[in-house]
Amino acid sequence: MRRRMFLKSSAVTALAVSTGLPTTGSAQAATAGRPDIAAFLETMAATVTAPISRIATDKFTPGMLLGNGDVGVIVGDETADRQTFRLGRADFWGRKSTDPSWQTTILTAGALTLSSPEATTGDPLSGYRMEQDILRARVTTRLRLGGARVTLRSWTPDAEDALVTEVSSAEGDPDVVLTARVSVPAESAYPYGAGVEDGGLWTTRQDNELTPFRSGCATATRLIDAAFTRTTSGPAEATGTFVLRGGRTVRLVTTLRGYFEVPTGTTTVTALRDAALAAARVRARVVTRDWWPDHLGWWRDFWSRSFVRVHDRTLEEFYYGAQYVLGAATREGAALPPSLWGPWPAGEPTRWGGMYFLNYNTQAPYYGVCSSNRPELITPYEKYVAAENPWQRQRTAQAGYQGICYGRAFTPYDMVRPAPSPTPVAPTKDWKKLPSDQKSNAVFTLLPLIWRWEYTRDVDYLREHVYPPLKEMDVFYRDYAEWDAAGNGGAGRWVIPNSSAHEGAVDLNPNLDLGFARRAAATLVEASEVLGVDAGLRPVWREFIDKLADYPTGTVDGTEVFHIAEEVRYKDPAVPNLLFEPGNQPINMEGTVHPGEMVSVGGDERLLKLARDSLEKMGSWCTAPGGASNNGFPKVWPIAARVGWPAADLVEKFKAGIRYLWRSSNHTCFQGGGGIETSGATEALNSMLLQSESGVIRLFPVWPKERDAAFWTLRAKGAFLVSARRAGGVVREAELHSERGGTVRVADPWGAGAARLTDAHGARVPYTVKDGLLTWRTRPGATYTLKPARPRHRQEP
């Protein structure tokens, strides 16, 4: 059984969510004037009135989604006279010998299908409806089975790896015979089984002997309000028949158990089956009195973290649909972080194995996590990085280099095998032996952890999780860089050779590497000061930043733009060596702007103009086939927001991009080259409403003046929780809660220091004004309110 873990921080005190349960603890402290989040989220449900097509895809499914971080369930069927629940576990992986390209893959755990052997009376589509309720994390299906109008309410408990489905019929409808069928793929590469035991239906599935790891999964399904009247089984399926009385409700509980271990483990699928059958023998009161309130409580806390209101259906449906995907796919306490398709493998073989790709796909879901005030969602990913670092350190040393360089595509197996012993650095450097052609992967991998530190200012977290690996990644960059004595007008410069912007090239000075190398060194300078260590290295880091090659640029139609690299040399001669790629994903700005975060609104105006001009010339707005709509959706929008693209135009472009990739069946955007990382574009909306780069908090920095908007408890770097409201083109008020104290700087939204600053007791708080910034010292745990100063009536002479 999973131990329920709530998200914890003082932000929960700022907002209460009503879900039909009494609020508890700090959630009772709702602030006056805040909206009814529950009522709003009721309007964000995804609904369909016809079966969803192409659910069993090898990519990111359009089916409705349920999950608790470990277990994922895809709800939906392509016919109207049955409902299928495809089951997944984040830790169920295998290797298939008949697939030479992507042998290692996340596997499906099986399926549960509900239907009736009786003929459906009337039009099967009459009254058909599915709803993905993100407020309660529940999917409700209404369909005709036999002669009855049946309602299925399904959800995944947050304290148990299970699926609960409440099956009821309308008052006055006739009794109907229903069949529950559990099944697993009859794929010989992965041993499987199914059967009936003690009134429960079970399935098992496991990987084969082709990897030095073992993984398996078992499911068990029972009725908890009744018993199956008849059961049958075959090699890959088992069925149970029961009668649903008119106007009555029964519950099906499907439990999942799995293992993921090195070969020395003694777990078997038989033991998993027995554990799943035992767990499914649950009393109805446990489901109604324990699991369901606990489930609602977790999601109440999740939605309490932050709230934005921009009065635009397209933006809000995307934003809250993406947040829901993250809450269902990962959380504190989960065994693994979500891979490419999250815990929702829909069909086999899954495309690209559903693996972890650390050249952006795996990190991108976290782009908006910290600013949305949900930093704890990163925790499973942190554990993954900590487990992988020793292996990448070993491979880097074997190539003759110091520090840590990272590969690109990964399985989760290093989470369970012992870390290797330290490896001496080889005496000869050979860059071709390094883990990847893309040398930027290591710092890219650590960025979510860096963000968690910057947004929370947890010094212990910095010391334990960020500083040690970041030092090693910086050591690699400085050991790998080459000195170009003739560069920079003869003054010399450090260059990053033989790296790759896109996969499969041998490039010089990719924007990614130059930005990430600067990011690593700059973060280390600040971190060493905070920790009081490595003072002697600070001049080294600063000098490396100063002497690193400039970001590569060039001219397109007479306009200077960012190039993706200084030189591009693809290994495949059929691929053109382009330095600038209109319509493609904006990797020419990932190192500089986002996620590298070396330039943003209020920063170097030349670089900002370069970025805006690059965006204009590229036209990569995700509204046409090509690279941008394959991999660019979570990239282009945060970049545009961070560089101050004209706000009204950005809103319209963002909405057009959402609509082009939109799936109304589950409120997600689908791009061709990846999966759940489209959720990372939530950072774009957060950045339009609030930015906190370079130590300055900016309210509504890229939001159209003619559009009203408000947000509550978004998180700013420096451990500040910020709420603000703008109406009629004017910021009406803002509230700032300081978790850890320290100096705060806020870009003056009214000008000329015309701000009234008060504490939680209404007392005036002094501040200084310089260069358009309001600056004051905050106390840990204190809350401050900013409003425009009341106009003073001046006496006429």
Side-chain angles (χ1 to χ4, degrees):
M1 178 181 293
R2 300 174 65 252
R3 184 170 71 86
R4 176 173 179 254
M5 302 185 75
F6 281 143
L7 303 175
K8 298 178 177 68
S9 101
S10 60
V12 179
T13 67
L15 231 44
V17 178
S18 169
T19 57
L21 292 175
T23 55
T24 58
S26 60
Q28 294 180 11
T31 302
R34 298 186 186 277
D36 184 342
I37 300 176
F40 174 79
L41 291 177
E42 293 273 16
T43 71
M44 290 290 107
T47 61
V48 299
T49 55
I52 303 169
S53 300
R54 296 184 292 277
I55 292 176
T57 176
D58 59 357
K59 292 185 177 182
F60 188 16
T61 179
M64 294 189 176
L65 306 174
L66 298 170
N68 66 9
D70 286 325
V71 166
V73 180
I74 304 166
V75 187
D77 205 298
E78 297 196 0
T79 65
D81 57 357
R82 68 188 182 199
Q83 183 61 289
T84 295
F85 305 86
R86 291 172 172 82
L87 310 173
R89 285 189 62 95
D91 59 357
F92 186 34
W93 290 70
R95 184 178 177 93
K96 183 177 178 182
S97 61
T98 57
D99 183 351
S101 176
W102 293 100
Q103 295 184 334
T104 304
T105 180
I106 189 170
L107 298 172
T108 59
L112 166 67
T113 301
L114 292 176
S115 60
S116 174
E118 300 177 4
T120 300
T121 60
D123 181 2
L125 288 176
S126 175
Y128 183 92
R129 180 182 175 88
M130 287 182 64
E131 177 185 86
Q132 179 180 275
D133 173 4
I134 67 171
L135 173 64
R136 300 171 185 82
R138 181 176 67 183
V139 172
T140 299
T141 307
R142 293 180 173 85
L143 72 170
R144 290 181 175 271
L145 295 178
R149 295 165 294 170
V150 176
T151 298
L152 312 175
R153 292 185 175 89
S154 307
W155 47 282
T156 51
D158 294 276
E160 176 61 79
D161 287 346
L163 166 70
V164 176
T165 298
E166 302 169 3
V167 187
S168 61
S169 67
E171 194 70 36
D173 273 14
D175 297 350
V176 62
V177 177
L178 300 181
T179 299
R181 173 179 175 267
V182 297
S183 60
V184 289
E187 167 58 72
S188 60
Y190 303 112
Y192 58 90
V196 180
E197 182 79 20
D198 190 25
L201 315 176
W202 61 266
T203 67
T204 60
R205 198 178 189 213
Q206 58 187 311
D207 69 351
N208 46 42
E209 302 291 344
L210 295 175
T211 65
F213 312 96
R214 300 298 294 156
S215 185
C217 184
T219 76
T221 298
R222 292 185 186 273
L223 281 169
I224 63 172
D225 302 277
F228 293 121
T229 57
R230 180 174 178 270
T231 58
T232 62
S233 65
E237 65 177 54
T239 62
T241 300
F242 61 99
V243 177
L244 177 64
R245 304 297 180 188
R248 300 291 183 86
T249 298
V250 299
R251 295 175 183 86
L252 282 164
V253 171
T254 300
T255 54
L256 294 89
R257 291 294 182 267
Y259 69 83
F260 182 75
E261 59 190 18
V262 294
T264 54
T266 58
T267 309
T268 65
V269 289
T270 301
L272 291 181
R273 179 202 65 188
D274 294 343
L277 284 165
R281 189 185 294 281
V282 61
R283 295 184 179 182
R285 68 171 182 238
V286 172
V287 175
T288 58
R289 297 180 187 178
D290 296 335
W291 289 4
W292 179 241
D294 182 86
H295 173 77
L296 289 179
W298 194 94
W299 283 96
R300 180 184 62 231
D301 287 356
F302 178 83
W303 293 122
S304 295
R305 301 291 288 183
S306 64
F307 184 59
V308 305
R309 190 77 173 93
V310 296
H311 310 287
D312 186 283
R313 185 76 182 178
T314 298
L315 293 177
E316 289 171 341
E317 282 187 344
F318 162 73
Y319 185 84
Y320 289 103
Q323 300 285 13
Y324 174 74
V325 166
L326 292 173
T330 186
R331 61 188 59 181
E332 194 174 17
L336 290 173
S339 54
L340 198 59
W341 316 125
W344 300 295
E348 292 181 16
T350 59
R351 185 68 62 91
W352 304 296
M355 301 202 320
Y356 296 95
F357 290 90
L358 294 176
N359 58 347
Y360 107 89
N361 301 81
T362 303
Q363 299 92 327
Y366 303 107
Y367 282 179
V369 161
C370 288
S371 58
S372 295
N373 195 25
R374 298 179 176 96
E376 289 85 353
L377 296 184
I378 298 173
T379 303
Y381 176 82
E382 295 161 1
K383 296 177 181 177
Y384 174 84
V385 173
E388 195 56 56
N389 279 336
W391 298 94
Q392 301 307 300
R393 182 185 302 115
Q394 179 189 62
R395 293 185 65 187
T396 305
Q398 290 169 345
Y401 291 92
Q402 305 283 339
I404 298 177
C405 181
Y406 250 77
R408 175 164 55 243
F410 292 84
T411 68
Y413 294 135
D414 290 340
M415 292 283 288
V416 293
R417 63 173 173 168
S421 301
T423 300
V425 176
T428 303
K429 293 181 177 182
D430 186 348
W431 61 269
K432 295 181 180 179
K433 293 182 179 179
L434 284 167
S436 175
D437 51 0
Q438 295 177 303
K439 310 308 182 292
S440 53
N441 291 343
V443 176
F444 212 150
T445 296
L446 207 64
L447 284 176
L449 282 68
I450 293 172
W451 293 329
R452 184 167 181 177
W453 143 247
E454 291 177 332
Y455 280 89
T456 66
R457 302 302 285 190
D458 183 334
V459 175
D460 291 337
Y461 182 85
L462 172 67
R463 182 184 296 109
E464 297 169 13
H465 296 282
V466 179
Y467 194 71
L470 186 59
K471 277 187 66 177
E472 292 190 88
M473 294 169 186
D474 165 77
V475 164
F476 167 75
Y477 259 133
R478 288 188 290 110
D479 190 31
Y480 185 75
E482 294 181 358
W483 182 250
D484 173 18
N488 194 24
R493 61 174 188 163
W494 289 108
V495 299
I496 309 294
N498 304 317
S499 188
S500 184
H502 287 296
E503 299 171 11
V506 183
D507 303 338
L508 173 66
N509 287 335
N511 182 284
L512 279 163
D513 289 278
L514 296 177
F516 288 177
R518 285 185 169 89
R519 181 69 153 102
T523 303
L524 285 168
V525 170
E526 181 195 9
S528 70
E529 293 171 345
V530 170
L531 298 174
V533 298
D534 294 328
L537 282 174
R538 292 171 206 160
V540 175
W541 290 322
R542 291 189 179 105
E543 183 181 31
F544 183 62
I545 293 172
D546 292 341
K547 294 186 177 181
L548 197 59
D550 291 336
Y551 300 113
T553 63
T555 301
V556 174
D557 298 330
T559 301
E560 188 178 15
V561 296
F562 282 117
H563 277 174
I564 67 170
E566 193 169 316
E567 296 177 8
V568 173
R569 300 186 303 276
Y570 277 101
K571 298 172 186 176
D572 183 350
V575 180
N577 297 320
L578 299 178
L579 296 174
F580 189 74
E581 302 171 311
N584 208 342
Q585 53 182 309
I587 63 171
N588 55 328
M589 290 172 280
E590 285 185 273
T592 309
V593 182
H594 190 273
E597 297 185 319
M598 297 307 297
V599 63
S600 61
V601 171
D604 186 311
E605 186 51 45
R606 175 181 173 270
L607 295 179
L608 288 168
K609 185 176 185 303
L610 269 169
R612 291 191 294 265
D613 288 345
S614 299
L615 287 168
E616 181 178 6
K617 294 299 181 182
M618 290 181 71
S620 301
W621 302 115
C622 303
T623 54
S629 57
N630 278 338
N631 290 101
F633 186 80
K635 301 181 180 187
V636 65
W637 310 115
I639 288 172
R642 290 293 183 89
V643 301
W645 187 267
D649 189 55
L650 180 55
V651 166
E652 295 309 313
K653 282 182 164 57
F654 194 10
K655 289 168 59 178
I658 291 170
R659 287 191 290 262
Y660 183 73
L661 301 176
W662 188 241
R663 282 110 59 95
S664 59
S665 58
N666 61 10
H667 282 187
T668 64
C669 282
F670 171 78
Q671 60 178 22
I676 68 169
E677 74 269 10
T678 53
S679 295
T682 55
E683 176 56 36
L685 189 55
N686 289 348
S687 289
M688 295 167 76
L689 301 174
L690 177 72
Q691 291 189 29
S692 56
E693 298 304 307
S694 303
V696 177
I697 292 175
R698 301 178 186 275
L699 307 174
F700 305 101
V702 193
W703 190 251
K705 288 187 176 181
E706 66 275 12
R707 285 177 173 261
D708 294 351
F711 60 87
W712 290 266
T713 56
L714 290 181
R715 182 174 285 270
K717 291 183 178 180
F720 300 109
L721 301 176
V722 184
S723 305
R725 179 174 65 92
R726 189 161 86 173
V730 177
V731 177
R732 300 297 179 176
E733 60 186 348
E735 184 179 276
L736 183 144
H737 177 80
S738 176
E739 288 186 332
R740 300 186 181 273
T743 299
V744 64
R745 296 188 298 163
V746 178
D748 188 348
W750 301 290
R756 178 183 175 86
L757 178 64
T758 57
D759 63 17
H761 304 288
R764 294 291 291 268
V765 175
Y767 62 86
T768 62
V769 184
K770 184 179 180 181
D771 298 328
L773 303 180
L774 311 177
T775 303
W776 72 96
R777 291 283 300 174
T778 70
R779 293 180 289 106
T783 300
Y784 303 87
T785 300
L786 269 173
K787 292 184 177 181
R790 296 188 182 95
R792 295 181 179 178
H793 297 288
R794 191 176 57 179
Q795 253 186 342
E796 295 295 332

